[in-house]
Amino acid sequence: MSVPLRQQLDVGLYMLKQKFGGVKRYPLVLMLEPLFRCNLACAGCGKIDYPDEILNQRLSVAECLEAVDECGAPIVSIPGGEPLLHREMDQIVKGIIARKKYVYLCTNALLMEKKMHQYTPSPYFTWSVHLDGGKDDHDRSVCQGGVYEKAEAAIKKAIAAGFRVNINATLFNNAAPLRMADFFDHMMEIGLNAITVSPGYAYERAPDQEHFLTRAATKTMFRDIFRLGKERAKQGKPKWRFSQSSLYKNFLAGNETYECTPWGNPTRNIFGWQRPCYLLGEGFVKTFKELMETTAWERYGTGKYEKCADCMVHCGYEPTAAEDALRHPLKALVAALRGPKTEGAMAREVDLTQQRPAEYVFSRHVQDALSKIHAENIHEAAGREVIEAAE
């Protein structure tokens, strides 16, 4: 099973509790970013374009666990940067598991074999390895040769050691459906538990702006991929296992008209709680409560904001699909049994004519963070001088 039954039940009960409690907005997955530093420089990444003073910052174990408690989401995804560069990452993971939260530790796997002994297989723990396709596709995506081979070796070692292992694949407009189908077949053959797949989001500061997908291209590409998956399953090949809901996959194939649920996957990073979502950094607040109560959620999403126009990424739309499944369980079941529809007319597209223009505030947030870091450094230096003078 792509998502363990235990996890499905826990998340389902959590959602029902929120509904019965009259909670309108609630999180499903906490996106916890303890650092931005990475040991790769991928052209499509919008998380590495920071000065060294910011890349050197880390959330402490206490800050991470405080965020988990404050948010209360049943699932914690730990992206980055590269989380395994954090010297206390194993302690962060252990603390989250002790709270009976489901942890997805995202990694490019370059350090995975070296660090694996620090972790223990658990129903609450999943390695989530970044792989954007087979050897040529992935190494091109991460702008470095040999990365795919190291990642696959680490995946095989983790599976053999009893860990749950997923991959997260981000697809751009140069992804070929046939090559992706071959890649998914291979992942199933080596015993991978599940695949998380998503179209790439157009980070405004990513070095490569040419390969992000439009919504129309996303739908066509995923229809082609899912069609190949159905054909291969009929031929007796292993059925692809996805860690995502049937309705989100149906959305990717153009069969659902969904609005984004940006609060479904809130983000806590070194700046604070990020407004409005993991993909857009347009302001930061100190507490989760402040994020939920003071963010102008109605100003964001496809059709509302220019930056969101082409977004179909799972962190915004999987919570929407989950809500839809809760309201219409039969619809979700039918989609799961039949798979995404790959033929015929697509669902109505969101109107973009009334969206507000993009605002570019990234530089201001970076400058504010640098000013804070410099002030803290001056304060610490002054404190050391006082201590030295007293001695």
Side-chain angles (χ1 to χ4, degrees):
M1 188 177 292
S2 55
V3 178
L5 181 59
R6 178 177 181 174
Q7 181 176 329
Q8 292 184 50
L9 291 173
D10 284 348
V11 174
L13 289 171
Y14 166 83
M15 293 179 68
L16 288 172
K17 182 179 179 181
Q18 306 307 309
K19 286 293 183 183
F20 289 141
V23 180
K24 181 180 178 181
R25 298 189 179 105
Y26 57 89
L28 280 178
V29 180
L30 168 62
M31 307 295 286
L32 180 64
E33 286 184 298
L35 77 171
F36 291 149
R37 175 75 70 181
C38 191
N39 47 6
L40 288 175
C42 306
C45 180
K47 296 288 182 176
I48 57 173
D49 186 23
Y50 292 101
D52 280 343
E53 294 97 323
I54 292 176
L55 293 177
N56 289 336
Q57 298 299 303
R58 304 286 189 272
L59 290 181
S60 67
V61 175
E63 287 173 320
C64 289
L65 298 182
E66 181 182 4
V68 172
D69 293 338
E70 191 179 355
C71 175
I75 300 172
V76 181
S77 177
I78 307 180
E82 171 49 54
L84 292 182
L85 290 173
H86 196 299
R87 294 179 180 178
E88 298 176 302
M89 183 51 58
D90 60 323
Q91 298 303 312
I92 294 171
V93 169
K94 289 175 184 175
I96 298 172
I97 291 174
R99 288 160 167 76
K100 297 190 182 301
K101 307 288 186 181
Y102 293 92
V103 183
Y104 287 78
L105 181 56
C106 305
T107 176
N108 58 37
L110 292 180
L111 295 171
M112 189 171 160
E113 288 197 62
K114 179 181 178 181
K115 302 276 189 175
M116 198 176 297
H117 69 280
Q118 298 176 355
Y119 301 85
T120 303
S122 164
Y124 291 99
F125 178 69
T126 300
W127 291 102
S128 181
V129 179
H130 172 211
L131 279 182
D132 290 343
K135 182 179 183 300
D136 292 341
D137 284 325
H138 182 65
D139 287 355
R140 180 179 61 250
S141 176
V142 300
C143 305
Q144 184 172 314
V147 176
Y148 176 89
E149 292 177 346
K150 292 180 181 178
E152 182 172 318
I155 288 171
K156 290 178 177 177
K157 182 176 179 180
I159 292 171
F163 288 99
R164 281 190 57 82
V165 186
N166 289 5
I167 60 165
N168 58 82
T170 305
L171 307 189
F172 300 90
N173 64 11
N174 54 1
L178 186 58
R179 291 202 307 269
M180 292 308 302
D182 290 341
F183 169 60
F184 291 163
D185 281 343
H186 180 62
M187 288 293 104
M188 295 300 99
E189 289 167 0
I190 68 173
L192 188 81
N193 290 101
I195 299 164
T196 299
V197 67
S198 184
Y201 177 76
Y203 286 111
E204 63 190 77
R205 303 283 293 204
D208 179 6
Q209 292 290 322
E210 296 180 3
H211 292 101
F212 292 113
L213 287 155
T214 64
R215 286 172 75 88
T218 294
K219 297 171 185 179
T220 299
M221 182 180 69
F222 276 100
R223 279 200 172 192
D224 291 342
I225 292 172
F226 292 145
R227 186 183 304 113
L228 287 168
K230 290 181 178 181
E231 292 173 358
R232 294 182 178 203
K234 291 179 181 178
Q235 295 167 4
K237 291 190 176 183
K239 186 177 180 180
W240 301 340
R241 295 183 296 273
F242 290 95
S243 63
Q244 292 151 303
S245 70
S246 59
L247 292 182
Y248 175 69
K249 288 180 288 182
N250 219 32
F251 167 71
L252 288 177
N255 303 315
E256 305 287 348
T257 302
Y258 283 154
E259 290 191 9
C260 173
T261 304
W263 57 84
N265 285 27
T267 298
R268 170 69 162 97
N269 57 36
I270 60 173
F271 294 142
W273 291 93
Q274 179 169 307
R275 284 178 172 152
C277 67
Y278 176 68
L279 302 169
L280 289 180
E282 301 213 336
F284 299 87
V285 293
K286 293 182 179 180
T287 68
F288 176 71
K289 186 174 187 292
E290 186 180 358
L291 174 75
M292 296 297 282
E293 294 180 354
T294 66
T295 302
W297 301 111
E298 69 282 356
R299 290 172 56 82
Y300 297 97
T302 303
K304 300 175 181 178
Y305 189 37
E306 186 179 0
K307 287 184 183 180
C308 305
D310 287 314
C311 182
M312 296 181 70
V313 182
H314 60 91
C315 64
Y317 287 96
E318 184 68 82
T320 309
E323 284 279 344
D324 193 14
L326 193 65
R327 291 192 301 268
H328 306 103
L330 183 59
K331 173 186 173 182
L333 178 61
V334 171
L337 293 174
R338 294 180 178 176
K341 187 182 75 170
T342 59
E343 306 292 343
M346 293 186 182
R348 174 185 58 83
E349 185 51 277
V350 177
D351 179 20
L352 302 181
T353 60
Q354 302 301 313
Q355 65 183 6
R356 65 187 175 93
E359 298 178 24
Y360 295 96
V361 295
F362 177 90
S363 297
R364 187 179 75 236
H365 296 320
V366 172
Q367 190 55 52
D368 289 346
L370 286 174
S371 298
K372 181 180 178 182
I373 291 170
H374 293 161
E376 289 174 350
N377 289 342
I378 292 172
H379 179 74
E380 290 176 2
R384 286 195 297 269
E385 289 179 359
V386 171
I387 292 173
E388 291 171 358
E391 293 175 346

